[in-house]
């Protein structure tokens, strides 16, 4: 059974930093693209970032580009999201998701973690 | 404003059929990118419901089906059940924006 477990969320002040983690199990982690998707309170889903199997190809939403960094450790089946220069509008539940795609574009997110809440507030 | 447009809400009585529309453009659905659908039950994470051309993950009943027409797609739910009450999101890829896009979500209420 595929499992994705996020951690690292919490309350942080505007301008601060936070690092989210996602530990995967139940599948060969190194064979899959991975993603972060967020959901602001009471709002819809917003794609944040993707990372390729080898960690060298990464894509970011414009809203987080230059502030967030996605990375992975295949030896530890772990996905990360380093979030810097946080803003109030980054407040959301952040989901780790496995991406299914045959190429760098397109595809879907076939398994999701339970999410971790990030609150940016003074 | 979402790149993919969905109605905020739909409703239906048990046993009825409802549809949820997802309208995109020539940069995403009309460009040939697949549309995928997610179900989010209250207080839970989204779950992939249907991907591509009516492909259902294991465990998803065939009461759920999709159709696609040029720049739009539609999710149909037949034999509506109380447990279908949830938020539904469509998702695709936008080649102009170079990002993965979701619809704003549609809340299904079972009357």
């Amino acid at each position: 059974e595929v499992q994705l477990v996020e951690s690292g969320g919490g309350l942080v002040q505007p301008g601060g930093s936070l690092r989210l983690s996602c530990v995967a199990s139940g599948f060969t982690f190194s064979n899959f693209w991975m993603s972060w998707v967020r959901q602001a309170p009471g709002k819809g889903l917003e794609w944040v970032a993707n990372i390729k199997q080898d960690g060298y190809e990464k894509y970011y939403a414009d809203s987080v580009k230059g502030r967030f960094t996605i990375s992975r450790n295949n030896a530890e089946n772990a996905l990360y999201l380093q979030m810097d220069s946080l803003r109030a509008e980054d407040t959301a539940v952040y989901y780790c998701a496995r991406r299914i795609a045959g190429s760098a574009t397109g595809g879907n997110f076939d398994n999701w973690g339970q999410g971790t809440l990030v609150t940016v507030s003074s | 404003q979402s790149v993919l447009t969905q109605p905020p809400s739909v409703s239906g009585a048990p046993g009825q059929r409802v549809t949820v529309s997802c309208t995109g453009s020539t940069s995403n659905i009309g460009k040939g990118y697949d549309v995928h659908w997610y179900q989010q039950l209250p207080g839970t994470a989204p779950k992939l419901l249907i991907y591509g051309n009516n492909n259902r993950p294991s465990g998803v009943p065939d009461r759920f089906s999709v159709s696609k027409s040029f720049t739009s797609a539609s999710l149909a739910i037949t034999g509506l059940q109380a447990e279908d009450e949830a938020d539904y999101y469509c998702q695709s890829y936008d080649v102009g924006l170079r990002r993965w896009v979701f619809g704003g979500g549609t809340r299904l209420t079972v009357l």
Side-chain angles (χ1 to χ4, degrees):
Chain A
E1 178 196 3
V2 172
Q3 281 203 315
L4 300 168
V5 180
E6 302 95 335
S7 61
L11 175 63
V12 61
Q13 292 190 338
S17 298
L18 213 54
R19 188 195 196 206
L20 305 183
S21 300
C22 169
V23 175
S25 61
F27 65 102
T28 304
F29 181 73
S30 58
N31 286 352
F32 292 86
W33 284 81
M34 295 298 295
S35 304
W36 288 98
V37 178
R38 68 185 181 182
Q39 185 172 34
K43 302 295 184 183
L45 302 171
E46 179 189 16
W47 167 76
V48 172
N50 289 349
I51 186 168
K52 197 179 177 182
Q53 290 90 329
D54 60 9
Y56 288 108
E57 201 169 328
K58 305 174 185 181
Y59 299 90
Y60 297 94
D62 288 344
S63 57
V64 307
K65 198 174 295 183
R67 301 186 300 121
F68 290 11
T69 303
I70 189 172
S71 63
R72 64 192 296 163
N73 183 329
N74 287 342
E76 297 187 353
N77 292 340
L79 176 72
Y80 304 103
L81 186 67
Q82 176 66 39
M83 304 185 296
D84 299 319
S85 302
L86 283 161
R87 307 166 180 167
E89 54 264 36
D90 295 318
T91 294
V93 173
Y94 285 73
Y95 295 103
C96 162
R98 189 176 76 170
R99 177 174 171 252
I100 299 296
S103 67
T105 61
N108 62 70
F109 308 100
D110 76 331
N111 281 273
W112 300 61
Q114 85 288 350
T116 186
L117 176 62
V118 172
T119 303
V120 184
S121 175
S122 54
Chain B
Q1 251 62 332
S2 300
V3 174
L4 303 179
T5 302
Q6 297 180 234
S9 63
V10 296
S11 63
Q16 282 190 333
R17 177 182 186 269
V18 297
T19 61
V20 179
S21 61
C22 175
T23 303
S25 70
T26 54
S27 294
N28 41 68
I29 301 174
K31 194 69 173 179
Y33 286 100
D34 281 339
V35 180
H36 314 287
W37 292 85
Y38 301 84
Q39 178 192 58
Q40 186 174 31
L41 297 170
T44 70
K47 178 187 94 168
L48 181 64
L49 186 67
I50 293 186
Y51 59 100
N53 187 21
N54 267 316
N55 300 297
R56 283 178 293 274
S58 173
V60 175
D62 58 6
R63 300 187 296 106
F64 295 88
S65 63
V66 298
S67 60
K68 184 178 167 184
S69 176
F70 192 36
T71 58
S72 67
S74 188
L75 169 70
I77 310 172
T78 59
L80 207 56
Q81 299 180 6
E83 59 259 35
D84 297 334
E85 195 159 276
D87 293 327
Y88 293 85
Y89 294 89
C90 60
Q91 175 255 314
S92 186
Y93 178 79
D94 192 286
V95 67
L97 297 173
R98 290 188 295 178
R99 63 180 169 98
W100 288 260
V101 292
F102 289 90
T106 298
R107 176 149 299 176
L108 168 63
T109 301
V110 180
L111 302 170

